[in-house]
Amino acid sequence: MRGSFPLRYALLTLVLAVFTYLYGLDSRFAPKNGDEYPYMHIVRMTADAGNWLPLQSQMDGIKNTKPPLIFWQGIASTSWASQWSLENLRWPSVLYTGLTAFFLFLAVRRFTGKTQTGFLAALIWLSFFATYRYGRPFLTDPPEVFWLSLPFWALLYWGKSAFESKFLFPVLAGLCFGLALFAKSFAYIAPASLALGLYYWHWRKWSIPETLIRDLYKFIFIVPLALGVFALWFALDPQPEAVWREFVLGENAGKFTARSSNYFMDLIRGGDSIWMLLITTIANTGLFTFVLVSTLMQCWRERRFLSAEETLLLLLISAFFVVFSLPSQRSGRYLLPVMPAFAALIALHWKRLPLWGFRIALLLQLIVLATLLWLGINLQTSHFMGEAGSWTYALWHWLLMGITVIAVVMGLMKRDQCKALALAGCFLTYCALTSSLSPLEAQLGRFSAQTITQVQGKDVWIPCDYRAKDEEYRLLLPGTQLHGYLAKDAADVEALTKTYPLVAVHSPLGVAPRICESCQIIGHRMEMRARHSNEEIKAMLLGNIGEHLFVTEYLIATPVTNADLLNVKDVCR
């Protein structure tokens, strides 16, 4: 039957999903958010101090940027920074993401009575690009999404038993919400409690008196319990005034300040408008954006016939959307906790959804794959690499690309398999993306062991294009003392070699830098640039990849001796 999702397909796609989330977990180029490196810095500095609290940081204004749970997690997973690697920092995030998918599966299977629908909900959520991007790196989102979601899945799983519970469920909800606040922010108690209130109100058949009489006392218990868990930070931290100043006032209250003109104009126009919040929330699904759009359209058409569970899922989404439309800083990332609810809605409507959303997803996958193939072939056959080395792929990379392209094309051609292959295609595309950058994870993108040994214990200046960028270089040059300069100056070899005694500079692929007679190139590697101007992006689209997307990074020793350099403000900080 068109749109069916047999159990064997579900199990095969689950294996593919698990592989996708583990493949390249330690990659520097894994899709992520820029917060990861500042968080790594705080973990490393706090671990070096030897105490759980207070949190430590050398970055201006970024110390108590988030509650300590995520940093304690990093300290524990790296054994007090003694086993320092991206893999050790990130595996707890993957575990949280896997647990969220598992409980989503249990809840949907329970209230639908269909194992395939449960698998679908979990797999659809894992296929969202936002889940892949934020659910693997060392970020606050995986524990936040897990702990915020758990009470709502418990209500959908146990139904009447949970709704009528006078003590056990309120305790569970309070502790779960509290751990979510302890992972992200106390502000999440607002959307969580509003959503929970709407759940109870719906359960009481929209009777306000009945809800107040039978359920209000539960909130009087849940909310203080959750805030009490968060307040442990103030009780345990020896510098609670710094937590109040930097986190409560700076990190949270500051989000209500007008971003440009005034609060109400920002609400309806500009990059922080409520419309952008709606668009970025839907775009969290990534390749499945139009599948979600078609699902929401179907929900609207069938609004009079929605099941109780569908109504509860929509209430959860609405509560978070309304609350996070209030701060002047609006982002679809704030609604990551409701993306599992969107996935459940798609799974519930799966068989009745039109094919156009899935075909757009397959076309988007094909565009990504064509770009990766064009880029890979261009790099492997190019002759401008110079000292950077040879960009080569293993045979299995081309097999992966071939299988992925065939699967996507089959999905476009075969109506009966369109939906299943669109879902599997998301995971295959993510694997193709990771595999396409694999040469940079090998020797091509790393300094040699000889170079690393030669610079042990020395001060090295590296380009910084965002804060705590040196944490990435710490993985490449372990044992060195790193300092940052502005990344926009990385190609100015003459000025840099006249300023710093040991410095990393950038040069176009195939073009050796001109250095002074007494300067010495200690090592080199190939690097991918992260930020580009509009002109550079246009040039890359016209085929000038080597000139703008990739560079050769040279580590150069110079005769400069200037002790005052160590007192200059570090750009990475």
Side-chain angles (χ1 to χ4, degrees):
M1 184 194 307
R2 181 166 64 89
S4 62
F5 195 70
L7 187 58
R8 65 180 183 278
Y9 281 14
L11 293 174
L12 288 173
T13 309
L14 176 62
V15 172
L16 176 59
V18 172
F19 174 80
T20 301
Y21 273 75
L22 295 178
Y23 176 45
L25 186 60
D26 60 344
S27 172
R28 294 183 296 119
F29 305 102
K32 58 181 179 290
N33 178 270
D35 292 339
E36 184 175 42
Y37 289 131
Y39 292 173
M40 289 172 61
H41 173 77
I42 294 173
V43 168
R44 185 176 57 81
M45 295 298 297
T46 305
D48 287 347
N51 297 304
W52 295 100
L53 288 172
L55 301 175
Q56 303 293 328
S57 172
Q58 294 177 338
M59 293 179 290
D60 294 339
I62 300 183
K63 183 170 70 173
N64 295 304
T65 183
K66 286 292 181 288
L69 187 60
I70 182 67
F71 307 114
W72 292 350
Q73 172 189 306
I75 290 172
S77 67
T78 61
S79 298
W80 289 86
S82 64
Q83 299 176 18
W84 194 251
S85 70
L86 288 175
E87 187 174 18
N88 284 336
L89 286 163
R90 289 173 175 173
W91 71 257
S93 296
V94 176
L95 178 60
Y96 270 120
T97 299
L99 288 173
T100 303
F102 177 67
F103 284 109
L104 173 59
F105 158 75
L106 290 180
V108 174
R109 185 186 67 167
R110 179 64 175 264
F111 70 72
T112 62
K114 298 177 181 178
T115 300
Q116 289 94 327
T117 307
F119 270 120
L120 257 179
L123 292 169
I124 291 168
W125 179 64
L126 291 173
S127 75
F128 292 164
F129 184 70
T131 309
Y132 184 70
R133 179 186 179 188
Y134 296 108
R136 299 200 316 152
F138 179 60
L139 297 170
T140 58
D141 304 284
E144 166 214 357
V145 171
F146 174 74
W147 292 115
L148 280 176
S149 300
L150 200 56
F152 298 102
W153 302 140
L155 286 171
L156 290 171
Y157 185 90
W158 279 299
K160 181 178 180 180
S161 299
F163 277 109
E164 298 295 345
S165 173
K166 297 180 179 179
F167 179 75
L168 186 59
F169 177 78
V171 170
L172 170 68
L175 291 176
C176 288
F177 288 160
L179 288 169
L181 308 188
F182 207 44
K184 184 80 168 187
S185 170
F186 65 90
Y188 275 86
I189 193 60
S193 55
L194 175 60
L196 193 59
L198 291 174
Y199 268 47
Y200 276 110
W201 190 20
H202 176 270
W203 179 254
R204 303 301 176 192
K205 303 187 184 301
W206 306 112
S207 171
I208 294 179
E210 189 77 6
T211 306
L212 293 175
I213 293 171
R214 303 186 63 176
D215 301 311
L216 179 61
Y217 76 92
K218 299 175 185 177
F219 285 87
I220 297 175
F221 180 79
I222 291 172
V223 174
L225 177 58
L227 292 174
V229 173
F230 172 79
L232 289 174
W233 188 9
F234 291 89
L236 298 174
D237 199 303
Q239 300 173 359
E241 69 284 352
V243 175
W244 176 265
R245 182 178 63 255
E246 297 170 18
F247 182 74
V248 177
L249 299 181
E251 181 75 11
N252 289 273
K255 288 183 169 60
F256 285 88
T257 305
R259 304 277 283 179
S260 56
S261 52
N262 62 67
Y263 176 84
F264 292 103
M265 294 305 293
D266 288 346
L267 179 67
I268 60 175
R269 71 180 187 185
D272 289 302
S273 68
I274 192 172
W275 315 116
M276 284 303 298
L277 176 63
L278 178 62
I279 292 171
T280 54
T281 299
I282 294 175
N284 279 335
T285 56
L287 298 168
F288 259 35
T289 294
F290 291 95
V291 176
L292 176 58
V293 170
S294 68
T295 302
L296 295 176
M297 291 171 60
Q298 192 168 92
C299 286
W300 174 254
R301 288 194 298 267
E302 300 174 0
R303 59 190 180 277
R304 296 182 181 179
F305 309 102
L306 294 175
S307 66
E309 291 79 14
E310 289 174 284
T311 302
L312 291 174
L313 292 170
L314 289 169
L315 288 174
L316 172 61
I317 294 166
S318 300
F320 272 73
F321 185 84
V322 168
V323 170
F324 284 112
S325 66
L326 299 179
S328 55
Q329 182 178 332
R330 303 174 183 90
S331 169
R333 186 179 177 185
Y334 298 151
L335 274 80
L336 288 179
V338 301
M339 297 313 296
F342 278 123
L345 284 173
I346 294 174
L348 292 172
H349 290 259
W350 182 265
K351 288 185 178 181
R352 305 193 306 279
L353 289 177
L355 292 180
W356 62 265
F358 296 92
R359 284 175 172 158
I360 293 177
L362 288 163
L363 286 173
L364 292 174
Q365 293 166 18
L366 201 57
I367 291 171
V368 173
L369 293 169
T371 303
L372 293 175
L373 281 168
W374 174 76
L375 181 63
I377 293 171
N378 190 296
L379 287 169
Q380 183 152 316
T381 58
S382 64
H383 303 287
F384 54 73
M385 307 293 281
E387 289 187 68
S390 176
W391 184 288
T392 57
Y393 290 112
L395 176 61
W396 62 263
H397 167 78
W398 298 113
L399 290 175
L400 171 64
M401 298 299 291
I403 291 170
T404 304
V405 170
I406 291 172
V408 171
V409 172
M410 284 181 60
L412 286 168
M413 296 175 60
K414 296 194 173 185
R415 293 172 59 88
D416 291 347
Q417 299 179 26
C418 176
K419 296 180 180 180
L421 288 174
L423 180 58
C426 291
F427 299 113
L428 288 169
T429 301
Y430 300 152
C431 288
L433 176 62
T434 301
S435 179
S436 294
L437 294 173
S438 60
L440 286 179
E441 295 295 344
Q443 191 57 46
L444 183 66
R446 298 183 179 275
F447 292 110
S448 67
Q450 181 182 356
T451 299
I452 295 173
T453 301
Q454 196 170 348
V455 298
Q456 283 294 296
K458 296 183 179 180
D459 292 291
V460 181
W461 277 260
I462 50 100
C464 270
D465 51 5
Y466 50 84
R467 300 185 81 170
K469 171 75 171 182
D470 58 308
E471 295 300 332
E472 177 179 352
Y473 276 85
R474 206 169 298 278
L475 302 168
L476 298 168
L477 292 169
T480 58
Q481 303 299 316
L482 299 171
H483 313 276
Y485 67 84
L486 290 174
K488 66 181 181 64
D489 300 326
D492 192 352
V493 179
E494 182 179 359
L496 291 171
T497 53
K498 288 181 179 180
T499 306
Y500 304 110
L502 188 55
V503 61
V505 304
H506 288 172
S507 180
L509 294 178
V511 180
R514 294 182 179 181
I515 59 176
C516 63
E517 291 184 3
S518 53
C519 295
Q520 178 187 3
I521 295 177
I522 297 177
H524 60 80
R525 69 185 187 93
M526 187 174 174
E527 175 66 320
M528 184 172 70
R529 292 178 56 201
R531 296 181 177 180
H532 304 87
S533 65
N534 291 333
E535 291 73 21
E536 289 172 334
I537 293 173
K538 291 178 182 177
M540 286 189 289
L541 292 175
L542 294 174
N544 298 323
I545 304 173
E547 183 179 352
H548 300 293
L549 184 58
F550 298 100
V551 294
T552 303
E553 183 170 82
Y554 291 89
L555 199 56
I556 302 176
T558 75
V560 173
T561 55
N562 187 351
D564 291 336
L565 282 172
L566 298 178
N567 299 321
V568 176
K569 181 176 174 58
D570 192 331
V571 173
C572 292
R573 300 289 174 256

